[in-house]
Amino acid sequence: MANADAAKEYGVNSALETLPTAMYLFGMGSGALFAGPLSETFGRNPVYLTSTFGYIFFVLGSALKPNFGGHVACRYLVGLFASGTLGSNGSSVQDQFSFVGRTFAFPVIAWANVAAPVIAPIAGGWIIDNDKLGWHWTEWVTLIISGTAFLISFLFLPETYLPKLLDWKAAHLRRLTNDQRYVSQHSRNLKQKSFGQRLRSRLSLPLKFIHTEPVITVLGVYLILLYTLLFTFMSGFDQIFRRAYNLSAGQTGACFGTIAAGATSFMFAVPGLYLGARRKAHLTKDATLEPEFRLYPGFLAGPLLPAALFWLGWTDVGRIPMWSVLGACFLFGLVLMALYTSSYGYIVDSYGTHAASALSAITMLRYIIAGGMAMGTRPLFTLPGFGVQWTMTVLGGVAVLLAPAPFVFWKMGPRLRRRSLFAVSPRPGPGEKE
């Protein structure tokens, strides 16, 4: 919401309005390469707390009044340090919950990841509309929220990575017994290699996943499309609402609430998915199911994604009431949440102990490419003869091609995991040997 005002204040071309958003996404993508592997080496908490501490300082840099180059650089570094949390939070869910428990817990984390970027512009729009505040206050409010979250995490967030917990337990037993034989496997592995060797080996994992894992490649493309759409919406709402319906910045920001409402409405389906998981697991708390169970929301959401995009594109005209476009945004929010939960849940269950590296790979892909696409698609909204209608039509056409992906993984997933070097081996199918 602040991009246009920031560009105006710094006297830069309107074509560069989306550059701060794109640089934030590039920072998220490049940082995600490190987040997962580092959390598997040092534990989740050191990554969360260290990265958030750095993130707060660069939000402060954005809130102060640098030149445009300084503002863009701060936005990149904000994204770089923010990736410490987004790159590992799915793995923290896996650390703490069984398969059945993750059915309920992961959508809560996914909701925070999906809804927050579309709730923030609601406040941002009204802040910008207030002459006494201005766009810098979008950064100050972010700083206040982030600082509070950091303090709460620093005081109360527990470590969840099991190998790290076993390191601590072994160290405690050594102190109690003075017996140096108590050493965890994780600690033993760390001693066999230098820090540089460990880091190189861990950082290469996400790149290997992109190279060798079809699950990561295809779901990565799906999530790239979703995040391209999300951040295209964020940069294109001026065209979709503000100019088409002559709305103020505050009213335009409030329109993002329909996407958040759609994402929130998916949560009503979560108890049903949880009960379904429990029944399929024969009401056993610690039972496991095949990762394909996570694909159920995607079966319905896949075909609805192009429907939402075509609906939005071809009813975004002044003579059609704005409620139609808001309905399309609501459906997009619902679909976004369903596909995000389905894709991430499938990856976490498929890759087990390697889930952090798998999530790093897919996070890196989606943010770097979405950053480039957010810049590339923004001019399409204002291109004569193209506009909102054809921009959404092109993106909807891509969504049509990707709609069968959940069905393909339902059929091919076990075979792909069996061939993978990193995935959890599936149970044999009918007629197959153990």
Side-chain angles (χ1 to χ4, degrees):
M1 297 304 299
N3 283 348
D5 284 25
K8 190 174 180 181
E9 179 177 316
Y10 294 129
V12 299
N13 191 294
S14 61
L16 297 176
E17 278 182 24
T18 56
L19 186 58
T21 299
M23 293 304 293
Y24 169 80
L25 296 174
F26 291 149
M28 288 286 293
S30 51
L33 181 64
F34 297 87
L38 288 174
S39 75
E40 290 176 346
T41 302
F42 302 106
R44 313 298 188 207
N45 264 18
V47 172
Y48 287 148
L49 297 177
T50 304
S51 62
T52 306
F53 189 71
Y55 156 89
I56 286 170
F57 276 99
F58 290 106
V59 172
L60 175 63
S62 297
L64 298 172
K65 295 188 176 181
N67 55 31
F68 186 70
H71 177 66
V72 168
C74 282
R75 295 307 300 166
Y76 173 82
L77 291 165
V78 165
L80 182 71
F81 284 98
S83 64
T85 300
L86 279 176
S88 303
N89 59 17
S91 303
S92 292
V93 173
Q94 185 200 32
D95 293 340
Q96 298 174 80
F97 296 96
S98 66
F99 181 95
V100 174
R102 287 198 295 274
T103 307
F104 201 89
F106 190 77
V108 176
I109 299 297
W111 180 88
N113 290 347
V114 169
V118 288
I119 290 174
I122 301 172
W126 295 113
I127 288 170
I128 291 164
D129 257 0
N130 190 322
D131 294 334
K132 295 179 180 177
L133 297 177
W135 73 267
H136 291 281
W137 267 94
T138 61
E139 305 285 6
W140 288 117
V141 171
T142 302
L143 182 64
I144 292 165
I145 295 171
S146 303
T148 304
F150 173 76
L151 288 174
I152 293 170
S153 301
F154 183 80
L155 294 172
F156 300 111
L157 186 67
E159 178 59 63
T160 62
Y161 188 47
L162 181 59
K164 195 67 181 175
L165 297 177
L166 292 175
D167 284 353
W168 293 350
K169 183 174 183 178
H172 179 64
L173 290 172
R174 288 196 300 272
R175 284 195 302 271
L176 287 178
T177 64
N178 204 26
D179 187 342
Q180 300 306 307
R181 291 177 298 173
Y182 288 106
V183 182
S184 72
Q185 184 62 48
H186 181 254
S187 181
R188 193 176 290 117
N189 291 341
L190 292 182
K191 288 178 181 177
Q192 289 173 356
K193 294 180 180 179
S194 69
F195 174 74
Q197 289 173 321
R198 292 198 311 269
L199 196 59
R200 279 196 299 273
S201 128
R202 288 290 186 179
L203 290 178
S204 66
L205 270 181
L207 299 176
K208 286 180 184 175
F209 273 85
I210 295 169
H211 233 347
T212 63
E213 299 294 314
V215 171
I216 299 300
T217 305
V218 176
L219 289 181
V221 172
Y222 222 138
L223 288 166
I224 286 164
L225 174 64
L226 290 175
Y227 269 70
T228 296
L229 289 167
L230 178 60
F231 286 99
T232 296
F233 276 172
M234 294 177 82
S235 62
F237 257 43
D238 263 6
Q239 294 295 324
I240 295 171
F241 286 106
R242 195 170 183 174
R243 297 180 189 177
Y245 297 99
N246 196 28
L247 303 182
S248 69
Q251 292 169 328
T252 302
C255 292
F256 280 98
T258 56
I259 301 178
T264 305
S265 69
F266 175 80
M267 299 301 289
F268 291 107
V270 172
L273 291 171
Y274 176 76
L275 291 175
R278 290 209 62 189
R279 287 197 192 98
K280 286 184 76 69
H282 307 293
L283 304 180
T284 304
K285 182 181 175 183
D286 295 324
T288 60
L289 298 172
E290 299 297 347
E292 282 69 34
F293 178 82
R294 305 297 186 198
L295 295 172
Y296 281 124
F299 293 160
L300 184 61
L304 285 177
L305 178 60
L309 299 179
F310 293 141
W311 177 6
L312 188 151
W314 290 96
T315 62
D316 184 52
V317 291
R319 63 180 179 274
I320 295 177
M322 187 175 65
W323 296 107
S324 174
V325 184
L326 291 174
C329 290
F330 177 90
L331 180 60
F332 173 74
L334 174 63
V335 167
L336 176 66
M337 181 70 178
L339 290 174
Y340 185 95
T341 303
S342 186
S343 301
Y344 262 53
Y346 184 76
I347 290 167
V348 167
D349 289 344
S350 293
Y351 290 98
T353 56
H354 291 295
S357 293
L359 293 176
S360 290
I362 211 162
T363 302
M364 180 180 70
L365 275 176
R366 81 173 191 259
Y367 276 108
I368 288 179
I369 297 177
M373 290 294 289
M375 284 196 70
T377 53
R378 163 72 177 181
L380 296 180
F381 284 107
T382 56
L383 194 66
F386 211 82
V388 174
Q389 287 80 13
W390 287 106
T391 301
M392 291 294 109
T393 300
V394 169
L395 294 171
V398 176
V400 168
L401 296 177
L402 291 172
F407 300 95
V408 171
F409 281 118
W410 177 266
K411 185 74 174 174
M412 303 287 294
R415 196 181 312 166
L416 292 173
R417 293 201 311 282
R418 208 169 281 121
R419 293 177 184 172
S420 171
L421 295 173
F422 304 102
V424 177
S425 296
R427 290 195 290 268
E432 294 181 333
K433 294 182 179 180
E434 289 278 0

